Amino acid sequence: MPIVRSSEAVIHEIHGARFVSYATPACGSKELCAWRGEIPAGLKAPAHTVSREEIFHLLDGELLITLDGRTERIAAGDTVIINAGTTLTVENPTDRTAYSWVTTSIGLEAQLADGTRIAPPWAN
């Protein structure tokens, strides 16, 4: 039975945010990956277009989420469904870190506005 203990989670940092990876093929997942996101106060992540659907659940804090140019403020307990091909921006306009839980299918890639493609290790 694959169990990932919190002490075994792999931490990645990119664009000022921290991604704590729990479910990946390396730890036994066959179809899905999942991670906790830590979005520091004041951070605005670069816009990126996702290749796979993501389920983004805000555990704690408040964020501004922009999907294809439409911005919404979300609060703890809210869930955002981000469809494949959507351009996403995440911003934390508050004075404290926000925490999210994200689940997607293995193989997610993100394309930045300049055309750079990223295959995040916490999603592959």
Side-chain angles (χ1 to χ4, degrees):
M1 165 179 12
I3 297 175
V4 179
R5 307 284 179 198
S6 60
S7 61
E8 299 169 336
V10 178
I11 298 171
H12 305 275
E13 294 188 18
I14 186 171
H15 300 293
R18 175 179 282 186
F19 302 86
V20 184
S21 179
Y22 292 92
T24 65
C27 63
S29 181
K30 302 245 186 266
E31 296 180 17
L32 300 174
C33 52
W35 62 88
R36 185 182 72 233
E38 300 175 5
I39 303 98
L43 178 76
K44 182 173 183 178
H48 56 285
T49 303
V50 296
S51 65
R52 310 238 178 187
E53 183 175 72
E54 289 184 14
I55 305 301
F56 183 104
H57 180 77
L58 192 58
L59 299 168
D60 187 38
E62 290 184 31
L63 294 172
L64 295 176
I65 301 287
T66 303
L67 301 180
D68 289 337
R70 181 176 173 205
T71 302
E72 294 282 341
R73 180 177 291 272
I74 65 168
D78 292 345
T79 299
V80 180
I81 299 168
I82 305 160
N83 292 310
T86 298
T87 299
L88 163 70
T89 304
V90 177
E91 180 178 0
N92 183 348
T94 74
D95 61 356
R96 64 187 185 103
T97 299
Y99 297 89
S100 64
W101 183 261
V102 180
T103 303
T104 189
S105 55
I106 292 168
L108 173 80
E109 290 186 347
Q111 183 171 344
L112 300 177
D114 68 1
T116 303
R117 294 187 74 78
I118 299 171
W122 57 88
N124 289 285

